[in-house]
Amino acid sequence: MSQPTRLFDFAYYALTHHPRPDALNTKKNGSWHALSTAEFVRQSRSLSKGLMALGLEAGERIAVISTTNRSEWNLCDQAILQAGGIDVPMYPSISAQESAFILNDSGSVYCFVSDAALVEKIQSIAHEVPSLRGIYCFETVPGVQTVADVIALGEQAASDADDLLQARMDAVKEMDLATLIYTSGTTGTPKGVMLSHRNIASNTIASRERLPVGPDATSVSFLPLCHSYERMLVYLYLYTGVGVYYAENMETIGDNIREVKPDVFTAVPRLLEKVYDRIMDKGKALTGAKRLLFFWAVELAEEFDLYGKSPWYKARLAVARKLIFSKWQEALGGNVKTIASGSAALNPRLARIFAAAGLSIQEGYGLTETSPVISVNLPVNGGMKLGTVGPVISGVEVKLADDGEIWAKGPNLMMGYYNRPDLTAEVITPDGWFKTGDIGVIDSDGHLRITDRKKEIFKTSGGKYIAPQHMENVFKESPFIEQCMVAGENQKHPVLLVQPDFAFLRSYCDRKGLPFGSPAEVVQIPHVEARIQKDVDRINTQFGQWEQVKKIYVCPEQWTIADGQLTPTLKLKRKAILARYEAAYSGLYA
């Protein structure tokens, strides 16, 4: 078939050009369950016919919520779209009240959920959602219909059901609305981003040139499929012929990666930071020659340059890769060609060390509103530059506004915010440029670098501007710091709120013979706060005098999505964090 133009076309393209016996793979009860390309298409068609038998009309919305990534998510996505519906992916971690808002705002008529806990959650708010006609579960839950029931209904449909489905598919045009993705945002009510088939399909095809693997490759997927980035990548994997293996959960990622031995996977910077922190923690536990060799290799990696190092450096790096970094590669399966990083800024030092270790991290940039990719590095032909998010992908235009804000235009730009023309007008100019809200620079080679969020930059009472995101990224180099927030708008100097890495703190306390009763108790230990302060003082010297944080507050609990301090993609909800620690924050200026 020709190039896909609608999202459900990618599965048929894969079936024609590179069918796989293991297109989508989910682990259940200790075993991998493979869904071939052919079976994926067959089951999705039955599910589409089942939805039509239930009464789904073209243009109606169906929500999809899954606690973990699994093949059923893609089956529902494919079936809804080819039946002419619009799907509404939702995060499983949001509150019941936020779930009710999204279901009502989208007018969802059905809801697909993965498990009993989500069934209970949606049932608890169903009376608040008058449009909702039914809830269907991936798993067997007493008294609840399943996705398999809808598939069976489609398989029993009348003989003309295939013709009716084909008519629905033929009626879908590439400019039609395909999905509503609600952005949690760092403040305010969720906004429904309207993305057409063309928006995401064009972005998928344009991203192909930045994927350095082919049809013989495998990937491990664990970023939520409801996130526009991971969802687009699954279409890209279908388009390219890459087999997808879904990690069981966030705790088993390491085991799943070592088992599958993927060629590619995606990650957010915080996950890569945790991987690095654990590696360094193991290095610190070494003794004698092994310890010296480990830290010699890390120091060598900090000097790494993708281009132009001396033969003497390259010879030493080859030794470091064989003796030390080969073990890092083995921990990620041994076959990784590239790791795609997005959603937030990656610390350039971390990218440099991983690259020296032979683990290429392709940092990219985009937003839900841009379907999502705007730019991404390519680790061949000089297309990679550490500390940048790469050159802009084909078909997309980028320019910088007078204040440095990144503006983007292209076929990937959203249709607008659902039911919110006012908000749409705020971010899309009359001539079609999207205001990203990010500040950046474009270097002479056309590589884009993000410097901060426009709305997060603040001014001290002395009139100095502070770009907190960059500073936070550097402070998180400390293994003691899992999350942190630079604050101090209209104050005489910035301060730092620290959420410690409590897992690392526990191992540190064990080594030092310090008690670890609870997070709230351990941060009260003077030695612990002093040790965190020591790292902050060391890192502080990298900043200008006006930027340096003068005081810190070590928070007594972990910041979580459920408690409202983080978005589902682990970005800081700054207003919520300040409100939570208002007294402590004020005390830093007392």
Side-chain angles (χ1 to χ4, degrees), residues 300-530:
L300 188 69
E302 289 178 328
E303 302 172 23
F304 179 75
D305 188 350
L306 285 168
Y307 317 105
K309 294 299 284 186
S310 68
W312 171 233
Y313 177 87
K314 291 177 181 177
R316 288 180 294 156
L317 182 62
V319 173
R321 283 182 171 177
K322 183 174 182 179
L323 297 180
I324 301 297
F325 297 138
S326 60
K327 296 179 178 62
W328 295 24
Q329 295 171 14
E330 287 168 12
L332 296 175
N335 292 330
V336 173
K337 310 293 188 301
T338 190
I339 302 168
S341 175
S343 183
L346 178 68
N347 188 308
R349 175 176 173 270
L350 195 65
R352 187 177 307 280
I353 291 172
F354 273 111
L359 296 165
S360 173
I361 299 177
Q362 279 181 255
E363 191 173 6
Y365 167 67
L367 302 91
T368 302
E369 290 88 341
T370 56
S371 304
V373 178
I374 290 176
S375 67
V376 65
N377 277 288
L378 176 65
V380 295
N381 302 326
M384 176 80 97
K385 185 173 284 189
L386 298 176
T388 77
V389 291
V392 174
I393 64 170
S394 177
V396 175
E397 298 176 70
V398 160
K399 70 176 182 179
L400 302 180
D402 293 342
D403 61 358
E405 183 179 12
I406 300 164
W407 287 13
K409 179 191 280 190
N412 58 329
L413 178 56
M414 67 170 179
M415 302 168 71
Y417 295 120
Y418 191 60
N419 292 331
R420 295 304 304 267
D422 55 329
L423 295 180
T424 303
E426 288 179 11
V427 298
I428 299 180
T429 66
D431 56 346
W433 287 96
F434 172 66
K435 305 175 183 180
T436 66
D438 291 304
I439 302 294
V441 295
I442 302 172
D443 68 18
S444 58
D445 295 324
H447 285 67
L448 181 63
R449 183 162 59 88
I450 313 302
T451 56
D452 222 287
R453 285 289 295 168
K454 182 176 180 178
K455 292 181 180 178
E456 291 173 1
I457 294 173
F458 63 85
K459 190 187 290 187
T460 64
S461 59
K464 296 290 188 179
Y465 282 101
I466 304 293
Q469 192 178 88
H470 165 67
M471 295 176 64
E472 290 155 2
N473 219 7
V474 181
F475 280 122
K476 285 190 291 185
E477 288 180 8
S478 166
F480 291 91
I481 300 174
E482 179 167 0
Q483 296 280 7
C484 63
M485 188 178 105
V486 175
E489 184 169 14
N490 297 322
Q491 301 286 354
K492 56 187 176 181
H493 56 71
V495 295
L496 187 71
L497 305 181
V498 174
Q499 185 248 286
D501 185 331
F502 289 107
F504 180 81
L505 258 186
R506 183 180 291 275
S507 67
Y508 176 80
C509 288
D510 287 344
R511 291 199 302 270
K512 297 295 182 180
L514 298 170
F516 190 103
S518 68
E521 292 169 340
V522 76
V523 299
Q524 298 297 323
I525 299 174
H527 178 83
V528 167
E529 184 170 358

Side-chain angles (χ1 to χ4, degrees), residues 471 474-475 486 494 496 533-552:
M471 295 176 64
V474 181
F475 280 122
V486 175
L496 187 71
Q533 181 72 60
K534 181 180 178 181
D535 271 12
V536 170
D537 291 342
R538 172 179 55 81
I539 294 168
N540 235 352
T541 60
Q542 301 180 38
F543 306 123
Q545 186 65 35
W546 76 94
E547 294 175 297
Q548 293 179 8
V549 300
K550 300 301 187 286
K551 292 184 179 181
I552 70 170

Side-chain angles (χ1 to χ4, degrees), residues 12-39:
Y12 294 93
Y13 182 92
L15 186 61
T16 301
H17 293 276
H18 32 241
R20 289 185 68 122
D22 63 338
L24 300 171
N25 304 269
T26 304
K27 199 169 189 182
K28 300 175 182 177
N29 300 319
S31 300
W32 287 104
H33 291 254
L35 194 62
S36 69
T37 313
E39 188 62 13

Side-chain angles (χ1 to χ4, degrees), residues 188-215:
T189 303
K191 297 172 291 189
V193 177
M194 297 189 291
L195 298 178
S196 68
H197 287 269
R198 179 175 183 253
N199 287 154
I200 304 176
S202 67
N203 201 247
T204 301
I205 293 169
S207 297
R208 171 64 186 98
E209 64 184 22
R210 307 296 166 95
L211 184 68
V213 296

Side-chain angles (χ1 to χ4, degrees), residues 45-237:
R45 291 182 66 85
S46 294
L47 184 52
S48 292
K49 290 183 284 187
L51 287 170
M52 291 165 62
L54 286 173
L56 179 72
E57 297 289 343
E60 288 189 314
R61 279 76 62 204
I62 298 179
V64 186
I65 319 172
S66 183
T67 302
T68 59
N69 288 359
R70 46 200 292 174
S71 304
E72 291 94 336
W73 197 101
N74 304 96
L75 272 175
C76 291
D77 176 53
Q78 178 79 5
I80 293 164
L81 295 173
Q82 66 191 4
I86 297 161
D87 58 19
V88 184
M90 291 168 56
Y91 283 98
S93 54
I94 62 176
S95 67
Q97 291 71 31
E98 195 168 347
S99 299
F101 172 84
I102 293 173
L103 291 172
N104 276 315
D105 191 65
S106 63
S108 292
V109 296
Y110 297 111
C111 189
F112 288 128
V113 298
S114 62
D115 50 61
L118 285 173
V119 167
E120 182 178 353
K121 179 178 177 179
I122 300 304
Q123 284 180 337
S124 73
I125 57 170
H127 66 282
E128 302 174 27
V129 187
S131 62
L132 195 61
R133 302 201 292 256
I135 302 168
Y136 297 88
C137 192
F138 298 168
E139 299 172 357
T140 302
V141 175
V144 178
Q145 288 190 293
T146 65
V147 171
D149 292 333
V150 186
I151 290 175
L153 183 64
E155 290 172 344
Q156 298 159 10
S159 58
D160 64 345
D162 275 304
D163 293 337
L164 293 172
L165 174 57
Q166 190 60 51
R168 284 279 182 98
M169 293 169 65
D170 292 344
V172 176
K173 307 305 178 188
E174 63 174 327
M175 303 301 286
D176 289 346
L177 176 62
T179 188
L180 288 174
I181 302 180
Y182 281 80
T183 58
S184 59
T186 53
T187 59
T189 303
K191 297 172 291 189
V193 177
M194 297 189 291
L195 298 178
S196 68
H197 287 269
R198 179 175 183 253
N199 287 154
I200 304 176
S202 67
N203 201 247
T204 301
I205 293 169
S207 297
R208 171 64 186 98
E209 64 184 22
R210 307 296 166 95
L211 184 68
V213 296
D216 57 343
T218 58
S219 66
V220 168
S221 168
F222 47 84
L223 298 184
L225 283 168
C226 55
H227 189 278
S228 59
Y229 182 41
E230 194 73 7
R231 179 180 177 181
M232 185 280 287
L233 281 166
V234 173
Y235 297 131
L236 179 57
Y237 294 147

